[in-house]
Amino acid sequence: MGKHVTLNVDGQSHELDLADPTTPLLYLLRDELGLNNPHFGCGLSQCGACTVHVNGTPMRSCVLPAAAADGATITTLAGIGTAEHPHPVQQAFIDEQAFFCGYCMNGWVMTAVALVKEKPRATDAEIREAFSGLKCRCGSHMSIIRAVKRLTEAA
Amino acid sequence: MNAIMLSRRKALCAGGALVISFATAGCSSSQTAAATGIGGDTKPKLRPDQLDSWIAVRKDGSVIGYFGKVDVGLGIQVAIAQIIADELDVKFSDVSVVMGDTATTVNQGGASGSTGLERGGVSVRNAAAQARTSLLMLAADKFGTTPDKLTVDNGVVTVAGNTGQSVSYGELIGGRYFDVTLDWNKKIGNELLVQGTAKPKDHADYKIVGKSVPRADIANKLFGAEVFNTDMRVPGMLHGRMVRPTVAGASVVKIHPESIASLPDVQIVHQGNLVGVVAPKEWTAVKAARMLKVDWSSPPPAFPHQADLYKAMQAAKPVGKGGPKAKGDPKAVMAASAKTIDATYLWPFQSHASMGPACTIVDVQPDHVTVWTGDQKPHYVRDGVAALLNMKPEQVHAIWLRGPGSYGRNDGGDSAMDAAVLSKAVGKPVRLQYMRADGTAWNPKGPASVHKVSAGIDANNNVVAYHYHSTAFSREDIASHPDDPTQSLAGQFMGMPVVSKAVFDVPGETYDFGAEHLNWDVVPALLDRASPLRTSHLRDPLGPQINFASECFMDELAYATNMDPVAFRVKYLNDKRGVAAIEAAAKAANWQPRTPKTGKPQGAVLKGRGIAFARRKDTRVAVIVDVEVDRHTGRVWPRHWFVAHDCGLVVNPDALKLVIEGNILHATSRALLEEVKFNPHMVTSVDWLSYPILDIKDAPETINITLLNHPDDMPRGAGEPSSRPVASAIANAVFDATGVRFRQAPLTKDRVKAALI
């Protein structure tokens, strides 16, 4: 059975008819709304490449049925800041030249945005704890930690 | 310097005899400088020996570099732009680099073997130097002077001592073409080399090379503005997914289309044992691939039990032998030695497991094919798709877009072939994105290996003979280039002949023990067709496993001869730059002579320090690591690293340090965690739970890097070489901490815990 959903994505409201209500939010964001991120990494909620904020909380869009997000406010990587007005997390990652291929970036950045909001002075252990479980295959971990510390150590 | 080479067409034009017949081919421009013969309005055909295949100058003076390799996430385009900017004397910000598009770049081999700068950058540098010389000749002609009287600053040519006489590159040739021929060694791929008559600059004149210029793509990615290959959408595009056998080696017996009758508009593609589904909606394709019922045959077990793997390998009859790097008669010397020691080291199959499973969009038209690929070798993807479809390479246009880091022959090449089959079958462009299991369980694997190493020691504690033998699966059971359908899953599932190469290697470090014999046997693949355990290149192919055995054994030899591991290496290594790297790492780490632990280790957390050295072609890397071993959980934490890295001329120091960091982390993951699991019927490592990789909690605390810059040398391979000594250094440090030698990788918690109880 089809389902009508309303989503606010990066400040824009969308009304969508879902032919298949089991469709994960990821496919709706990418294929129906044409967003280039988040990314499909595993489809199993194991890596974080598909992470978006749903009502302010980082969630894995690859396993979240779009129907369950009806009425939600979604923020993607592209919605947290712009080149002209970067989010401090984006600026910190640029300053550290963090990431290699960047395919996994959504998980780390969206988690970092939530982390620095919740714990602006997070310690090294808290940073590692917050990120634990996210995957980066290229080994960007050191630059990711440095980028977050730019913010937490300045706070 | 006026001996510039003209293309045949230009020469004919200049001679005037055939001007009419060639007029439409682009030498009729009234602006063409008659005296130099440089410049044309039509872009010459894409060939390595055409300067225009490498460099273009726009009307606004900005420069495009065409690079036939690609960036796999390390930012090589920045270094290439630095090289071009320096050679041409233009601003770095005025240079953009086009990578891996088969319509505009020549086949430089794609990303391969850390040759981006060492090989790929050389041709770019030569071409840029030639472009500068050509531009100076045009300017000299314009001002009625000679090139040696001219200076260039930020793309503006000025007659020396006469600032009134100046002209920009844009004004000289902007929007038109050089039409200048280069010398080409007639090779393609990594070996391709072009050079003009112009001599590249001396390193002392570099202004931008050697500087830490940041990457622009990082910011673009952070703002969601960078386009990955997964983001490509083609009008009318359908979504594909593959259906793989549940048992390795199984054949299709029957497909049950009724099992997906509830899903709208799904097409099943079935050729031989290749099965895929195509649907307008991506989620429909995902569901269809999961739901489609296929009866597969029940072949005999393809694989041994995992616990028996190394035994089975050593019992197998080799299909290839090689290496031998031999000096003297180590057997005889060993027989006469005061003592001998030997050890056996084991390395597992490992998976590329890229962050994103491969994605390719293919649009097969009757006489033309377009491929959007994130593979690291787009030119070979073009060739492979052409061969698969019985077309000419010229009929296939491969467009490279950023993909997830690939680290060798991952699943990218296979996905292009599969997508081509799907697109041809349904007559529409198809975007095939693999699922996690395709990227972890079904991609080509880094080969498993067994290494037996022995040495003879004389009465004075000198090592006098060395023997190193590997028994391994081939590094090219599947070719490293995706240019041959017989080397792809699609080809093998569809019944194409199986062709395999038996290739392995010997250690690259040059210790001199007098007599030595280094060699290898390659054993046959466990399953010869469409095997999820087929082997090919994985980051620094064979490097980490060969080095794991040789550098751990160096440690064993050091202690067997009552020497400190650093002093031992310095004594026997016949390689000045290698010794310099070892000494630099030792200095950074404040290395103190070490002796082996005695007695049973005490305490919950055991601390140790280890060293390993690696040489990969002309690059040397020495690493020292401080580890902590939790005796109760078996957790090994490489906490502090000290790296000394010599890759010749350093083009971009900060970027290089990041690349080294990434390789240390990736290689740590391989050393501590990564082992492809399988049972007799199938690979069982299918996702991040069954194929775990390094978690950020286990990332090191510090990585101290010393770059040993050699401006008088060329840039050598960087990146992969620093992967090579990581597992060895960790195992050596764990020995230092615990007194226990771990000779089997990875050093998982379970293995370490079991050995320490």
Side-chain angles (χ1 to χ4, degrees):
Chain A
M1 297 303 285
K3 162 125 176 118
H4 184 82
V5 294
T6 306
L7 294 176
N8 184 298
V9 182
D10 294 338
Q12 277 201 311
S13 188
H14 298 274
E15 303 276 331
L16 294 151
D17 284 310
L18 280 178
D20 182 344
T22 68
T23 305
L25 179 63
L26 172 69
Y27 296 105
L28 187 138
L29 295 174
R30 291 189 58 87
D31 297 344
E32 307 303 327
L33 301 185
L35 296 181
N36 283 351
N37 51 83
H39 291 145
F40 175 86
C42 64
L44 302 162
S45 191
Q46 293 176 358
C47 74
C50 65
T51 305
V52 296
H53 285 185
V54 178
N55 296 327
T57 305
M59 295 190 82
R60 309 287 182 249
S61 68
C62 72
V63 292
L64 180 69
D70 187 16
T73 298
I74 313 286
T75 309
T76 75
L77 179 72
I80 60 172
T82 61
E84 293 73 32
H85 302 287
H87 188 282
V89 166
Q90 287 170 315
Q91 189 59 52
F93 279 90
I94 293 169
D95 291 343
E96 282 299 331
Q97 290 283 289
F99 298 112
F100 293 100
C101 77
Y103 195 87
C104 64
M105 185 180 275
N106 291 274
W108 301 94
V109 174
M110 299 312 281
T111 302
V113 168
L115 172 67
V116 297
K117 194 173 168 192
E118 196 190 328
K119 293 181 181 166
R121 293 179 187 179
T123 61
D124 180 81
E126 286 172 329
I127 293 168
R128 288 174 187 245
E129 182 65 39
F131 285 132
S132 183
L134 293 172
K135 304 291 184 290
C136 169
R137 192 66 174 128
C138 298
S140 310
H141 308 73
M142 305 301 285
S143 57
I144 290 167
I145 293 172
R146 282 196 297 267
V148 175
K149 284 186 176 174
R150 271 180 180 253
L151 302 174
T152 55
E153 289 177 357
Chain B
M1 210 301 298
N2 288 314
I4 196 141
M5 286 167 280
L6 303 182
S7 68
R8 179 174 167 274
R9 177 160 53 88
K10 182 55 62 187
L12 288 167
C13 291
L18 289 170
V19 166
I20 294 166
S21 55
F22 280 87
T24 52
C27 55
S28 62
S29 171
S30 56
Q31 299 171 53
T32 303
T36 63
I38 297 165
D41 293 329
T42 305
K43 187 165 182 173
K45 195 167 182 286
L46 182 72
R47 286 171 51 101
D49 60 4
Q50 288 297 319
L51 180 54
D52 296 296
S53 302
W54 300 90
I55 299 283
V57 178
R58 291 198 191 94
K59 281 187 176 158
D60 64 3
S62 62
V63 174
I64 308 170
Y66 296 100
F67 190 43
K69 289 180 171 289
V70 300
D71 176 41
V72 285
L74 308 181
I76 192 167
Q77 72 280 3
V78 177
I80 292 297
Q82 287 178 268
I83 288 170
I84 291 171
D86 249 350
E87 286 301 334
L88 272 170
D89 284 313
V90 296
K91 279 190 280 189
F92 172 82
S93 57
D94 282 340
V95 181
S96 58
V97 178
V98 171
M99 290 183 280
D101 185 322
T102 63
T104 54
T105 66
V106 301
N107 183 355
Q108 289 188 275
S112 172
S114 298
T115 59
L117 295 182
E118 186 171 14
R119 298 276 179 77
V122 175
S123 288
V124 168
R125 185 187 296 282
N126 289 342
Q130 189 63 52
R132 183 182 189 274
T133 293
S134 300
L135 287 158
L136 288 187
M137 289 173 72
L138 285 174
D141 191 40
K142 180 181 173 71
F143 295 126
T145 181
T146 51
D148 59 306
K149 303 281 195 304
L150 302 171
T151 62
V152 191
D153 186 34
N154 285 340
V156 175
V157 188
T158 305
V159 179
N162 185 351
T163 48
Q165 283 197 308
S166 70
V167 61
S168 71
Y169 282 172
E171 289 167 318
L172 282 170
I173 201 161
R176 295 185 302 120
Y177 303 95
F178 290 99
D179 210 353
V180 166
T181 306
L182 304 167
D183 229 3
W184 168 36
N185 67 355
K186 299 295 185 288
K187 293 182 176 168
I188 58 154
N190 287 343
E191 307 295 325
L192 185 155
L193 178 68
V194 296
Q195 52 191 332
T197 49
K199 188 175 170 291
K201 285 187 177 172
D202 188 79
H203 64 82
D205 296 326
Y206 294 150
K207 293 174 188 157
I208 303 166
V209 166
K211 297 264 186 345
S212 291
V213 181
R215 293 166 60 178
D217 66 302
I218 300 270
N220 286 342
K221 287 170 182 168
L222 278 157
F223 298 121
E226 188 82 13
V227 175
F228 281 85
N229 70 319
T230 47
D231 303 329
M232 186 65 209
R233 284 121 179 147
V234 178
M237 170 181 98
L238 302 177
H239 291 274
R241 290 295 184 278
M242 305 312 291
V243 180
R244 302 296 187 206
T246 47
V247 169
S251 306
V252 174
V253 176
K254 192 178 181 204
I255 293 177
H256 299 268
E258 70 280 5
S259 58
I260 55 168
S262 65
L263 299 173
D265 307 317
V266 181
Q267 299 180 69
I268 300 168
V269 177
H270 170 212
Q271 292 180 21
N273 294 315
L274 179 144
V275 182
V277 292
V278 178
K281 294 277 185 194
E282 190 169 9
W283 181 240
T284 309
V286 173
K287 282 168 83 170
R290 282 182 193 161
M291 288 164 59
L292 182 67
K293 183 168 183 277
V294 180
D295 297 335
W296 297 97
S297 66
S298 303
F303 310 137
H305 287 282
Q306 183 145 23
D308 298 331
L309 173 68
Y310 300 115
K311 206 165 51 180
M313 290 171 70
Q314 292 176 86
K317 187 167 180 281
V319 289
K321 288 174 178 291
K325 195 179 155 204
K327 195 166 73 173
D329 186 352
K331 217 179 216 175
V333 176
M334 237 179 272
S337 294
K339 64 176 171 177
T340 59
I341 67 165
D342 63 271
T344 301
Y345 300 85
L346 309 171
W347 191 273
F349 289 109
Q350 295 187 323
S351 178
H352 297 80
S354 292
M355 266 317 291
C359 178
T360 314
I361 300 105
V362 178
D363 183 7
V364 179
Q365 299 288 331
D367 56 357
H368 184 78
V369 179
T370 311
V371 181
W372 289 269
T373 175
D375 191 81
Q376 65 179 41
K377 298 180 180 179
H379 293 83
Y380 292 122
V381 166
R382 170 199 63 191
D383 297 348
V385 168
L388 179 81
L389 299 172
N390 284 318
M391 295 171 95
K392 293 178 186 145
E394 307 86 85
Q395 292 175 283
V396 179
H397 178 195
I399 299 165
W400 177 82
L401 294 165
R402 291 186 176 283
S406 41
Y407 331 110
R409 178 148 188 188
N410 70 344
D411 47 346
D414 286 319
S415 81
M417 302 278 188
D418 282 337
V421 173
L422 299 183
S423 174
K424 183 165 186 192
V426 302
K428 293 269 178 60
V430 171
R431 174 186 183 275
L432 167 64
Q433 183 163 25
Y434 278 162
M435 299 301 285
R436 184 71 261 155
D438 296 308
T440 300
W442 280 98
N443 73 111
K445 303 298 184 292
S449 51
V450 178
H451 310 271
K452 285 184 173 293
V453 197
S454 55
I457 298 164
D458 72 12
N460 298 318
N461 264 340
N462 293 308
V463 181
V464 287
Y466 181 51
H467 189 265
Y468 186 107
H469 177 78
S470 302
T471 300
F473 294 107
S474 176
R475 73 185 277 171
E476 284 202 288
D477 178 32
I478 296 294
S480 63
H481 299 331
D483 63 344
D484 178 352
T486 70
Q487 307 291 297
S488 73
L489 271 184
Q492 298 199 346
F493 276 129
M494 293 192 299
M496 288 183 178
V498 172
V499 186
S500 179
K501 275 203 283 186
V503 195
F504 210 73
D505 207 351
V506 297
E509 299 75 31
T510 52
Y511 294 101
D512 188 354
F513 298 120
E516 66 172 14
H517 195 89
L518 318 176
N519 64 353
W520 50 260
D521 288 349
V522 161
V523 296
L526 296 170
L527 171 66
D528 72 349
R529 173 180 291 279
S531 173
L533 286 177
R534 68 202 184 286
T535 49
S536 190
H537 285 188
L538 170 63
R539 203 175 220 179
D540 185 22
L542 316 182
Q545 49 269 65
I546 289 174
N547 190 275
F548 178 62
S550 60
E551 279 298 300
C552 287
F553 194 70
M554 289 307 131
D555 236 52
E556 300 204 36
L557 273 178
Y559 290 130
T561 54
N562 294 326
M563 282 193 79
D564 167 68
V566 166
F568 178 88
R569 284 171 172 82
V570 170
K571 175 181 173 184
Y572 288 102
L573 191 61
N574 185 15
D575 172 9
K576 269 187 193 164
R577 278 168 72 163
V579 168
I582 290 168
E583 288 175 337
K587 188 178 169 202
N590 188 24
W591 178 277
Q592 301 299 322
R594 308 189 84 77
T595 50
K597 289 262 188 316
T598 51
K600 199 169 165 57
Q602 300 295 319
V605 175
L606 312 172
K607 297 185 178 186
R609 164 171 275 202
I611 181 168
F613 168 72
R615 177 162 175 184
R616 189 178 197 261
K617 290 182 267 188
D618 291 301
T619 300
R620 284 88 168 171
V621 188
V623 295
I624 289 169
V625 63
D626 291 336
V627 302
E628 295 184 8
V629 183
D630 186 316
R631 205 153 57 86
H632 301 299
T633 65
R635 177 194 187 229
V636 174
W637 183 28
R639 186 167 180 173
H640 301 290
W641 287 93
F642 302 88
V643 183
H645 191 276
D646 172 358
C647 62
L649 168 71
V650 175
V651 175
N652 187 321
D654 285 358
L656 174 59
K657 284 184 177 179
L658 286 167
V659 167
I660 292 167
E661 273 188 3
N663 275 271
I664 297 285
L665 273 280
H666 187 188
T668 298
S669 180
R670 293 173 70 180
L672 296 179
L673 293 149
E674 297 188 29
E675 177 169 31
V676 172
K677 296 288 169 65
F678 56 90
N679 64 33
H681 297 286
M682 195 53 208
V683 167
T684 55
S685 289
V686 294
D687 59 16
W688 297 116
L689 295 179
S690 48
Y691 193 76
I693 61 170
L694 193 76
D695 189 77
I696 195 162
K697 280 185 176 173
D698 298 316
E701 202 165 285
T702 59
I703 301 180
N704 173 299
I705 298 169
T706 306
L707 299 181
L708 303 169
N709 190 16
H710 287 268
D712 51 331
D713 192 5
M714 60 188 288
R716 303 293 182 176
E720 289 178 285
S722 41
S723 276
R724 185 167 285 198
V726 166
S728 331
I730 291 173
N732 289 339
V734 171
F735 172 77
D736 187 55
T738 66
V740 179
R741 279 280 168 207
F742 288 87
R743 301 189 181 94
Q744 178 169 6
L747 279 70
T748 59
K749 283 184 185 177
D750 287 349
R751 264 183 204 128
V752 173
K753 192 175 155 185
L756 294 182
I757 283 173

